[in-house]
Amino acid sequence: MTTTLEYAKWEELTEGAEHELTVGPITRTDLVRYAGASGDFNPNHHDEIYAIRAGFDKPFAHGMLQGGYLARLLSEWLGPGSFKNLKLRFNALTWPGDMVICKARVVRQYEEAEQKLVEIEANAMNQRGDVLIKATATAAPWS
Amino acid sequence: MPLDKSVLERNFPEFEFRVERGKIREYALVLGLNDPVHTDVEAARAAGFEDLLAPPTFVRQFWHENPENDPMPHLGYDPKRRLHGEQEFEYHKPLVAGMNLKGRNAIVSTREKEGRRGGMMTFVVIETRFVDEAGELVQVARRTLIETAAPPKEA
């Protein structure tokens, strides 16, 4: 059996606590694999000619690929199945060759109806500092 | 193209699917999720889940399974100007392998706004509600689909 990850402790998840994950460089193979896993076969994400005709320089990543990386950061930090909600706002495109740098921060730690909860603000940026996604989440941390 | 308003009158049928272990593993591996609760059944059970736990954005693959049950292809949007602007998830129960889910799509809001360089931008929010066999709510997904304003030369 594989060992379970260690998640952040409640005492560590005070306001301002941060966590990071860097993924990349993103490859065209990542885009094709995500298309297969997610069922999103929009040709802008794999068909060079289609993407160029649609006004892009080349195929670009699905917003939900970076969204998936952000969710991975939060899930591996706070614990699996701990989310109450997750909201992603897509801001800029990710191109093959780009890095996806995900950062998350606790903005509120509180108790409500005997549940220990945290509110999180997170974003994903590329290596040029462009914000790709802004995210918020509420979670009941694992430990 | 403006929003095809006839889509607002339409009801989209419920669809059913089974959550499979192999699909959960594939989704987790593509995103690099290292947590064994997504790939190893024993680890998932040791963590208190009945079976492999689906990653947080996993339901993405089911909301437009087929054009009959998804409003998106019927909005009348120009596919070249269609953007996925926002995505929201609400989590009500753990989503694990072996569950038989029912999903249903509905348009919950629409609005139009003038683009910065003229022309109209359209925003449509499609909500997908997923329930289990007992009829209990498991997850809700809400996607905001934007059609950006046509460039002035095309308008």
Side-chain angles (χ1 to χ4, degrees), chain B:
Chain B
M1 264 172 282
L3 177 67
D4 177 356
K5 299 274 195 313
S6 71
V7 75
L8 303 177
E9 310 298 317
R10 225 170 124 165
N11 268 316
F12 291 87
E14 193 171 64
F15 53 96
E16 284 186 44
F17 60 93
R18 187 173 169 83
V19 178
E20 291 165 16
R21 284 182 183 167
K23 210 57 197 167
I24 290 180
R25 288 196 184 100
E26 178 191 9
Y27 200 90
L29 290 172
V30 168
L31 293 175
L33 278 149
N34 295 313
D35 200 317
V37 297
H38 307 299
T39 51
D40 179 324
V41 179
E42 276 183 57
R45 291 195 174 134
F49 301 105
E50 281 177 34
D51 208 301
L52 296 184
L53 180 72
T57 60
F58 181 75
V59 294
R60 192 262 159 270
Q61 64 194 282
F62 301 112
W63 64 51
H64 64 187
E65 269 237 305
N66 104 41
E68 284 309 296
N69 55 44
D70 186 15
M72 185 178 80
H74 310 288
L75 298 177
Y77 276 14
D78 177 348
K80 294 182 174 169
R81 289 189 282 125
R82 188 178 70 212
L83 291 179
H84 188 183
E86 291 185 26
Q87 181 61 47
E88 194 178 346
F89 297 94
E90 272 176 32
Y91 302 93
H92 295 271
K93 276 177 90 166
L95 177 59
V96 297
M99 286 172 98
N100 290 303
L101 291 193
K102 286 181 178 168
R104 188 191 281 275
N105 284 304
I107 294 174
V108 291
S109 75
T110 66
R111 88 190 147 90
E112 287 186 328
K113 153 180 153 183
E114 195 152 339
R116 263 180 293 177
R117 285 169 292 176
M120 291 309 273
M121 288 175 77
T122 308
F123 296 75
V124 171
V125 180
I126 301 175
E127 182 177 274
T128 319
R129 297 173 75 81
F130 296 98
V131 297
D132 63 13
E133 284 172 292
E136 286 181 30
L137 193 58
V138 178
Q139 281 189 27
V140 181
R142 274 182 218 97
R143 63 198 133 124
T144 304
L145 299 173
I146 303 173
E147 186 189 50
T148 57
K153 59 176 168 27
E154 288 176 28

Side-chain angles (χ1 to χ4, degrees), chain A residues 20-43:
Chain A
E20 264 190 62
L21 169 73
T22 297
V23 185
I26 302 301
T27 66
R28 291 186 189 222
T29 307
D30 292 328
L31 308 194
V32 172
R33 289 180 71 206
Y34 189 74
S38 70
D40 183 349
F41 292 102
N42 179 339

